Amino acid sequence: MTRQLAERPEDVPAVFAERFNRGDAEAVAEVYESEAVFVPEPGTPLTGQRLNAANGRFLDLGLPITVRPRYVYTTGDLALLIVDWSIDGTDRDGRPVRIEGTATDVARRGQDGYWRYAIDNPFGVRAETGDQENP
């Protein structure tokens, strides 16, 4: 059973992780606003189908994501979420994978009362991804 969307901004990362860890791309897409921006690597903002495709590359690793919200700052229907996260394990091809970051995300409460990502920036202010493997 898919966890419902977040009723509080601090729950958005957990809702995302639960859906991600089930490998359900459609359910993951529901955690984003229709015009949301996803930044799968620094300097590369994506929207729409490109957003979904980029998330799909992370999902295709077949590894769980762990999320640890550090700070949540809310004003009205907007929230800034600072979230430590990692994807760690062996991918489907037997290669070790360790991807991690501290996200700087923006969530917004929709007219239906649920919070969704407006901006998902998983690598935060990191200027480059270094030697980490990115899908």
Side-chain angles (χ1 to χ4, degrees):
M1 180 175 171
T2 300
R3 182 177 177 151
Q4 77 175 26
L5 293 170
E7 294 180 354
R8 305 177 316 160
E10 57 267 30
D11 295 333
V12 175
V15 169
F16 174 88
E18 183 274 332
R19 291 167 177 233
F20 183 97
N21 291 342
R22 286 187 41 239
D24 188 338
E26 188 173 308
V28 167
E30 292 173 354
V31 183
Y32 292 86
E33 293 183 343
S34 61
E35 301 297 319
V37 173
F38 176 53
V39 187
E41 59 184 62
T44 308
L46 304 175
T47 60
Q49 286 305 107
R50 294 178 66 209
L51 177 157
N52 294 332
N55 255 333
R57 288 190 290 278
F58 285 96
L59 284 166
D60 288 345
L61 292 170
L63 297 172
I65 190 169
T66 301
V67 296
R68 293 171 305 286
R70 190 188 305 185
Y71 302 110
V72 177
Y73 304 113
T74 305
T75 180
D77 291 336
L78 286 176
L80 173 65
L81 297 91
I82 308 298
V83 181
D84 297 316
W85 64 273
S86 65
I87 297 173
D88 193 11
T90 303
D91 72 11
R92 294 171 192 205
D93 295 325
R95 294 179 304 221
V97 174
R98 173 85 180 154
I99 306 170
E100 62 185 346
T102 298
T104 52
D105 298 333
V106 176
R108 184 179 1 240
R109 182 174 30 225
Q111 291 182 344
D112 61 3
Y114 293 116
W115 290 83
R116 295 174 180 85
Y117 286 121
I119 302 171
D120 182 1
N121 183 24
F123 295 102
V125 297
R126 187 183 307 169
E128 57 185 70
T129 57
D131 61 354
Q132 293 186 2
E133 180 180 331
N134 278 313

